Amino acid sequence: MDATFLFQIPHDLMHAAAHAVGHEITADTPAWVHQVFHLTLVWAPIALAALALWRLVSALRARGRPAGAAPPPVPGFEPGVYAFVLRWTRAELPLLLGLSLAALPVLYAALELPKLIVNRAIDAEGFPLTAGPWSFDQLEFLFLLCALYLLAVMTSGALKFAINVAKGRVGERVLRR
């Protein structure tokens, strides 16, 4: 297998991901932007997956190994702080993870909508816009984007509040134990 072929796959994935989030990389795009896209959209997820796989393999190997010269376990105590925290927070962690993952697209929308308001509703031409059965003139489109922005900001704030409350509950429970 050709080595350039192996690097072409992540390169094409990066361009597809950049296009999916609304960014085109053209000949006019500065070289550093191209490198940042490669780092954040391809190599960082690959490194994260490799690290997760390494940790999983290490944990599976350690499970089958005898303890060796480790001190005898003290009843009621875990061998490390991470094992202790995981033991007592395992039920709440899926909720925290789910809330965190739900907050990411909402936060992206809250950061992207002001750009759309300025570039597509205020400075744009070519109205009325048609989207399926709906047609918007410039003022209606501006109000629609502003309402979506308000909804995104309120939802993002509510999700952040819920995440912080859940983190506080988890922290208090671990501290009490």
Side-chain angles (χ1 to χ4, degrees):
M1 188 178 294
D2 189 15
T4 58
F5 176 73
L6 291 176
F7 286 106
Q8 188 64 35
I9 293 172
H11 188 265
D12 293 343
L13 284 173
M14 184 275 305
H15 281 279
H19 179 72
V21 296
H23 297 287
E24 288 297 323
I25 297 175
T26 63
D28 298 334
T29 305
W32 67 269
V33 173
H34 195 250
Q35 300 305 321
V36 167
F37 273 127
H38 273 285
L39 181 68
T40 57
L41 296 176
V42 176
W43 297 113
I46 288 173
L48 182 64
L51 180 65
L53 182 65
W54 177 74
R55 292 285 301 204
L56 179 67
V57 168
S58 309
L60 290 175
R61 282 185 186 164
R63 181 175 272 178
R65 222 180 271 157
V74 178
F77 285 99
E78 304 296 328
V81 71
Y82 293 118
F84 176 78
V85 169
L86 281 175
R87 177 180 176 195
W88 295 106
T89 64
R90 188 166 281 141
E92 291 91 359
L93 288 179
L95 172 69
L96 280 170
L97 184 63
L99 285 172
S100 300
L101 289 176
L104 290 176
V106 176
L107 179 62
Y108 178 78
L111 295 172
E112 187 73 17
L113 279 168
K115 183 174 78 171
L116 290 174
I117 289 170
V118 171
N119 293 338
R120 301 245 172 112
I122 296 175
D123 287 344
E125 296 177 3
F127 284 96
L129 293 176
T130 57
W134 299 287
S135 178
F136 301 103
D137 66 355
Q138 189 170 8
L139 192 59
E140 289 172 340
F141 189 60
L142 177 65
F143 280 131
L144 174 70
L145 288 179
C146 289
L148 287 174
Y149 177 65
L150 180 63
L151 179 69
V153 168
M154 289 175 17
T155 306
S156 178
L159 284 170
K160 287 177 187 177
F161 177 76
I163 291 168
N164 285 330
V165 167
K167 284 189 328 187
R169 282 188 189 144
V170 168
E172 287 177 7
R173 286 182 186 152
V174 169
L175 186 63
R176 274 190 256 138
R177 296 206 184 271

